[in-house]
Amino acid sequence: MGEQAPLPASRGAFIPPVVWDDDPESDGFTPVSLHREPARWHALVDADEPVVTQVADGEPGGDARTPTSSCSKPSLVAEMLDALDLRPGLRVLEIGTGTGWNAALLRDRVGPHGQVTSVEIDPGLAARARDVLAATGRDVDVITGDGAAGHPSGAPYDRVIATASARTVPRAWIEQTRVGGLVLLPWGTGYGEDALTRLEVRPDGSATGRCGTRLSFMRLRQQRRHRLEPDEDELRAARRSSTALRGPELYEVVEFSRAAFTIGLRVPHCHLTVEDRDERHRDVELHDRRTGSWARVGMIRDEHPWPVLQLGPRELWNEVEAAHAWWRDAGRPTPDRCTLTVHPDGTHRISTGRHRWPLEL
Ligand SMILES: C[S@@+](CC[C@H](N)C(=O)[O-])C[C@H]1O[C@@H](n2cnc3c(N)ncnc32)[C@H](O)[C@@H]1O
């Protein structure tokens, strides 16, 4: 991997005058205006943290608990650029233009003989990024559209980088990358965090590579995670049991630990959400919208077993406990022991060295 180039001093030039900050009162986000609260705005923008730049897809009065665009954490942006192994003259496709900051950094690294195309699904964000990139003198082709389709007219690319995460790697990204080129994306199942995954495109049209750093990104719009919200009657009818796992192993399953990534690979279509009730109590929910299966585990710190409620045809909690046992017996593989291969027919296969299996998508 190449040496890291310095990032431009400030990402402030790319960030809009209104950003969104955590609001503990509402469990969502509250707007912070550069003009009204300059110190707070600068503190957010200058920190090595992601800055939320849009909620609720920009819908006025939309659900301010749902961030839908952000400018990523600078140290992670640097790590991703480094993993892309950029050189002058390369042709790069970015998915998820957002503020345009990462596109500008890509542009700076590929130099005057390179080319950067960036696709953003949100027309308002794309228009703003196009203007800011032009104003800062960066020649980037910003396309408004669904990045899952790539941008065929600019192909082949040497590099594709997604700054929105995916559960299913779109075939277009692989087909539009030259053999030996790289596709870098945050990839994962929705159970726990994603992993930074770097795929190399092979002559047979497949792409393969290791999963790496654990991270958390917004999903591609069409691959967003969805929750199930059972009503009172359904809750009354839920099957009741309790957790069989004990002590630290329980926390491995329900906290965003290194076990969770692999559990997600073993329990298909299972999405995990965690909500703190107070300092000692936390609700851990598992959702499979496809089959209408749901489970809630009422976590009580320093006490066990925990009560389990399960609904629907799948017993998601039991599946998760079985996957944890598999993970333990398989030598506790971490994300960086997992290799993902995406085949030309779209099949995704995982290998941990000793074990290989196809993923149900
Ligand atoms: C984490 S932000 C990207 C950050 C951006 N690279 C930057 O430097 O500011 C993710 C972006 O992906 C966009 N997005 C989500 N789904 C998309 C899709 N299918 N095609 C293109 N963009 C998408 C979102 O609208 C959002 O702006």
Side-chain angles (χ1 to χ4, degrees):
M1 292 193 189
E3 204 181 305
Q4 273 190 23
L7 299 181
S10 161
R11 59 179 170 162
F14 291 87
I15 293 192
V18 175
V19 298
W20 296 80
D21 192 11
D22 282 330
D23 178 14
E25 304 246 306
S26 68
D27 206 20
F29 293 90
T30 185
V32 177
S33 153
L34 170 61
H35 305 299
R36 262 180 264 135
E37 297 180 89
R40 190 172 170 199
W41 187 93
H42 279 289
L44 291 169
V45 169
D46 295 342
D48 186 24
E49 293 296 339
V51 178
V52 175
T53 50
Q54 186 195 61
V55 295
D57 293 326
E59 290 287 328
D63 181 358
R65 288 174 307 173
T66 316
T68 49
S69 190
S70 64
C71 192
S72 309
K73 181 176 171 164
S75 54
L76 183 56
V77 169
E79 183 179 340
M80 289 176 75
L81 291 176
D82 195 36
L84 260 190
D85 194 14
L86 292 168
R87 289 189 295 276
L90 292 187
R91 297 159 66 90
V92 183
L93 174 67
E94 180 191 40
I95 312 300
T97 318
T99 62
W101 184 53
N102 191 53
L105 299 174
L106 291 167
R107 178 75 256 176
D108 293 350
R109 291 203 175 197
V110 298
H113 301 296
Q115 179 192 299
V116 178
T117 306
S118 184
V119 188
E120 170 58 54
I121 201 162
D122 185 298
L125 296 179
R128 186 183 177 280
R130 205 174 280 123
D131 290 348
V132 180
L133 284 159
T136 60
R138 263 74 175 217
D139 174 20
V140 173
D141 194 9
V142 178
I143 309 292
T144 305
D146 179 3
H151 184 60
S153 64
Y157 301 99
D158 300 294
R159 304 284 185 265
V160 173
I161 173 173
T163 60
S165 77
R167 152 131 184 102
T168 307
V169 183
R171 274 301 306 163
W173 299 355
I174 297 169
E175 284 163 4
Q176 292 171 26
T177 303
R178 71 163 168 79
V179 172
L182 301 176
V183 176
L184 183 77
L185 74 155
W187 178 80
T189 60
Y191 192 100
E193 289 164 312
D194 300 319
L196 184 60
T197 301
R198 191 173 95 149
L199 306 173
E200 184 172 329
V201 176
R202 301 194 294 201
D204 66 358
S206 65
T208 191
R210 280 288 171 111
C211 305
T213 305
R214 280 167 30 210
L215 39 70
S216 189
F217 262 76
M218 284 161 198
R219 279 273 160 125
L220 286 176
R221 264 197 198 179
Q222 56 281 77
Q223 293 192 24
R224 279 182 184 158
R225 304 155 182 178
H226 295 284
R227 302 176 62 142
L228 281 173
E229 305 275 1
D231 61 27
E232 290 298 318
D233 288 343
E234 288 171 315
L235 284 178
R236 265 193 295 276
R239 300 181 291 281
R240 282 156 205 274
S241 59
S242 39
T243 49
L245 279 167
R246 293 280 182 268
E249 298 205 314
L250 254 179
Y251 294 92
E252 274 174 350
V253 174
V254 298
E255 297 197 324
F256 290 143
S257 71
R258 61 206 190 104
F261 180 80
T262 318
I263 289 172
L265 301 176
R266 303 291 304 176
V267 184
H269 305 284
C270 182
H271 170 198
L272 172 82
T273 59
V274 173
E275 207 165 301
D276 285 331
R277 295 246 157 258
D278 56 43
E279 289 202 346
R280 285 195 65 224
H281 298 89
R282 174 181 280 185
D283 280 346
V284 177
E285 289 193 358
L286 310 173
H287 315 257
D288 169 15
R289 272 231 314 195
R290 227 179 20 124
T291 60
S293 305
W294 170 93
R296 179 188 289 155
V297 180
M299 172 175 162
I300 315 160
R301 200 162 282 284
D302 304 326
E303 253 178 53
H304 53 72
W306 300 335
V308 179
L309 290 180
Q310 300 191 88
L311 273 172
R314 293 178 69 187
E315 304 214 298
L316 290 173
W317 178 254
N318 302 25
E319 290 186 38
V320 161
E321 287 201 332
H324 181 274
W326 180 91
W327 177 75
R328 195 188 46 217
D329 296 345
R332 301 177 176 261
T334 45
D336 59 3
R337 286 249 314 272
C338 297
T339 298
L340 171 68
T341 302
V342 183
H343 293 276
D345 65 357
T347 316
H348 289 42
R349 293 186 74 85
I350 281 289
S351 164
T352 59
R354 271 163 61 195
H355 301 91
R356 285 155 209 273
W357 67 98
L359 292 177
E360 231 183 83
L361 297 168

